[in-house]
Amino acid sequence: MRRRRVWEIGGFIAGGVLIVFGAVALYLGVDGYQTVHDELDKEYIVGGTDMSPDEIRAGAEEAGLPDTIELPSCDVVDEQIDTGEEARCFAQYMRVHALEGTGGLTYAQMGRLQSAANPDDPAGTDDEEAAAKDENGEPISNPRRNTWINEVALATALNVSYMAEQISIFGIVVGIALILTGIGLIILAFAVFGREPSTGPASATG
């Protein structure tokens, strides 16, 4: 009898702990989710008129981008970017815009300096002797490569918003699961150990 009582109390305590942890995880998840939305909302980011699959495909073809470049399938035209999903979509369009400006070359495919022989070539050069010079005789940085630095910085911030939102959603799901598990454990402890064991029907006497 005493052992059953101990198991019952242990089940109640374990269930209560799970409920508390679940409530904390649920609160943090909801708070993180709302924070992502609030912080994005403060930036007043609005999707451009070409941020739809058809428009960006036309722009990529006009810029001569290779077919191997993956184009976004989402649509945020004139949408205020205030969710992680929209932020990720916006970042995908930013990447295509950067590629349009560099002729399809990424940061690692471009030289750090502007070519003197062909200043409009986004590939640039890493050879200081072949680089264009400013009025002080110093090599000029490749402006197309600098475009990628800005793009990566902004896109990373937007993608972090998406990741933070997904982690928050995961926290919400885990919190709900812990709460339900804790409730189930308390019910199980009461059902199994909280009731007096049946002694069976009394035997009839003479």
Side-chain angles (χ1 to χ4, degrees), residues 112-116 127-142:
R112 59 188 180 85
L113 304 173
Q114 187 180 70
S115 172
D127 184 0
E128 293 190 6
E129 297 299 325
K133 306 295 193 301
D134 60 18
E135 62 274 10
N136 297 321
E138 297 295 328
I140 300 175
S141 298
N142 186 351

Short mmCIF file of all heavy atoms in Angstrom, two decimals, residues 112-116 127-142:
data_model
loop_
_atom_site.label_atom_id
_atom_site.label_comp_id
_atom_site.label_asym_id
_atom_site.label_seq_id
_atom_site.Cartn_x
_atom_site.Cartn_y
_atom_site.Cartn_z
N ARG A 112 38.69 40.82 -56.57
CA ARG A 112 38.42 41.89 -55.61
C ARG A 112 38.67 43.28 -56.18
O ARG A 112 38.27 44.28 -55.58
CB ARG A 112 39.27 41.70 -54.36
CG ARG A 112 40.76 41.68 -54.60
CD ARG A 112 41.55 41.30 -53.36
NE ARG A 112 42.97 41.28 -53.60
CZ ARG A 112 43.75 42.35 -53.53
NH1 ARG A 112 43.23 43.53 -53.20
NH2 ARG A 112 45.06 42.27 -53.76
N LEU A 113 39.29 43.35 -57.37
CA LEU A 113 39.63 44.64 -57.96
C LEU A 113 38.97 44.81 -59.32
O LEU A 113 38.67 43.84 -60.02
CB LEU A 113 41.15 44.77 -58.11
CG LEU A 113 41.98 44.60 -56.83
CD1 LEU A 113 43.46 44.59 -57.16
CD2 LEU A 113 41.64 45.69 -55.82
N GLN A 114 38.76 46.06 -59.69
CA GLN A 114 38.18 46.38 -61.00
C GLN A 114 39.24 46.27 -62.08
O GLN A 114 40.37 46.74 -61.91
CB GLN A 114 37.59 47.79 -60.97
CG GLN A 114 36.82 48.19 -62.20
CD GLN A 114 36.27 49.59 -62.10
OE1 GLN A 114 37.04 50.56 -62.14
NE2 GLN A 114 34.97 49.72 -61.93
N SER A 115 38.88 45.65 -63.19
CA SER A 115 39.84 45.46 -64.27
C SER A 115 40.05 46.77 -65.03
O SER A 115 39.09 47.46 -65.38
CB SER A 115 39.34 44.38 -65.23
OG SER A 115 40.15 44.31 -66.38
N ALA A 116 41.31 47.09 -65.31
CA ALA A 116 41.60 48.30 -66.08
C ALA A 116 41.26 48.10 -67.55
O ALA A 116 40.79 49.02 -68.22
CB ALA A 116 43.09 48.66 -65.93
N ASP A 127 44.76 40.78 -59.79
CA ASP A 127 46.10 41.28 -60.11
C ASP A 127 46.12 42.80 -59.97
O ASP A 127 45.45 43.52 -60.72
CB ASP A 127 46.46 40.86 -61.54
CG ASP A 127 47.89 41.26 -61.90
OD1 ASP A 127 48.59 41.85 -61.04
OD2 ASP A 127 48.29 41.00 -63.05
N GLU A 128 46.87 43.30 -59.01
CA GLU A 128 46.91 44.74 -58.78
C GLU A 128 47.50 45.50 -59.97
O GLU A 128 47.15 46.66 -60.21
CB GLU A 128 47.73 45.04 -57.52
CG GLU A 128 47.07 44.54 -56.24
CD GLU A 128 47.76 45.06 -55.00
OE1 GLU A 128 48.69 45.91 -55.14
OE2 GLU A 128 47.38 44.64 -53.89
N GLU A 129 48.40 44.85 -60.73
CA GLU A 129 48.98 45.50 -61.90
C GLU A 129 47.94 45.68 -63.00
O GLU A 129 48.00 46.65 -63.77
CB GLU A 129 50.16 44.67 -62.42
CG GLU A 129 51.31 44.53 -61.44
CD GLU A 129 51.91 45.88 -61.08
OE1 GLU A 129 51.96 46.76 -61.95
OE2 GLU A 129 52.32 46.06 -59.91
N ALA A 130 46.99 44.75 -63.09
CA ALA A 130 45.96 44.83 -64.13
C ALA A 130 44.72 45.57 -63.67
O ALA A 130 43.76 45.72 -64.43
CB ALA A 130 45.58 43.42 -64.57
N ALA A 131 44.73 46.04 -62.43
CA ALA A 131 43.56 46.69 -61.87
C ALA A 131 43.50 48.15 -62.27
O ALA A 131 44.52 48.80 -62.51
CB ALA A 131 43.56 46.56 -60.35
N ALA A 132 42.29 48.69 -62.34
CA ALA A 132 42.11 50.13 -62.57
C ALA A 132 42.59 50.88 -61.34
O ALA A 132 42.49 50.39 -60.21
CB ALA A 132 40.64 50.41 -62.86
N LYS A 133 43.10 52.08 -61.54
CA LYS A 133 43.66 52.87 -60.45
C LYS A 133 42.86 54.14 -60.25
O LYS A 133 42.30 54.70 -61.19
CB LYS A 133 45.12 53.22 -60.74
CG LYS A 133 46.02 52.03 -61.08
CD LYS A 133 46.18 51.09 -59.92
CE LYS A 133 47.32 50.09 -60.14
NZ LYS A 133 47.13 49.26 -61.36
N ASP A 134 42.82 54.60 -59.00
CA ASP A 134 42.17 55.88 -58.73
C ASP A 134 43.17 57.01 -58.92
O ASP A 134 44.30 56.79 -59.38
CB ASP A 134 41.58 55.89 -57.32
CG ASP A 134 42.63 55.67 -56.24
OD1 ASP A 134 43.83 55.85 -56.52
OD2 ASP A 134 42.24 55.31 -55.10
N GLU A 135 42.78 58.23 -58.55
CA GLU A 135 43.65 59.40 -58.78
C GLU A 135 44.92 59.34 -57.95
O GLU A 135 45.92 60.02 -58.27
CB GLU A 135 42.89 60.70 -58.48
CG GLU A 135 42.40 60.86 -57.05
CD GLU A 135 41.04 60.22 -56.84
OE1 GLU A 135 40.57 59.50 -57.74
OE2 GLU A 135 40.46 60.43 -55.76
N ASN A 136 44.93 58.51 -56.91
CA ASN A 136 46.13 58.35 -56.08
C ASN A 136 46.97 57.15 -56.49
O ASN A 136 47.95 56.82 -55.83
CB ASN A 136 45.73 58.21 -54.61
CG ASN A 136 45.04 59.45 -54.08
OD1 ASN A 136 45.44 60.59 -54.41
ND2 ASN A 136 44.02 59.26 -53.26
N GLY A 137 46.55 56.50 -57.57
CA GLY A 137 47.30 55.34 -58.04
C GLY A 137 47.01 54.07 -57.29
O GLY A 137 47.71 53.07 -57.45
N GLU A 138 45.95 54.05 -56.46
CA GLU A 138 45.58 52.87 -55.71
C GLU A 138 44.57 52.04 -56.49
O GLU A 138 43.71 52.59 -57.19
CB GLU A 138 44.97 53.26 -54.37
CG GLU A 138 45.92 54.00 -53.44
CD GLU A 138 47.09 53.14 -53.01
OE1 GLU A 138 46.91 51.92 -52.88
OE2 GLU A 138 48.19 53.70 -52.79
N PRO A 139 44.66 50.70 -56.40
CA PRO A 139 43.70 49.84 -57.11
C PRO A 139 42.27 50.10 -56.65
O PRO A 139 42.02 50.32 -55.47
CB PRO A 139 44.15 48.42 -56.74
CG PRO A 139 45.58 48.56 -56.30
CD PRO A 139 45.68 49.91 -55.68
N ILE A 140 41.34 50.07 -57.60
CA ILE A 140 39.92 50.31 -57.30
C ILE A 140 39.23 48.98 -57.02
O ILE A 140 39.40 48.00 -57.75
CB ILE A 140 39.24 51.02 -58.49
CG1 ILE A 140 39.91 52.37 -58.76
CG2 ILE A 140 37.74 51.21 -58.22
CD1 ILE A 140 39.36 53.08 -59.99
N SER A 141 38.47 48.95 -55.95
CA SER A 141 37.74 47.73 -55.60
C SER A 141 36.68 47.42 -56.65
O SER A 141 36.14 48.32 -57.30
CB SER A 141 37.05 47.89 -54.23
OG SER A 141 38.01 48.09 -53.21
N ASN A 142 36.41 46.14 -56.80
CA ASN A 142 35.39 45.70 -57.75
C ASN A 142 34.02 46.01 -57.17
O ASN A 142 33.60 45.38 -56.20
CB ASN A 142 35.54 44.20 -58.00
CG ASN A 142 34.61 43.69 -59.08
OD1 ASN A 142 33.74 44.40 -59.54
ND2 ASN A 142 34.81 42.44 -59.49
#
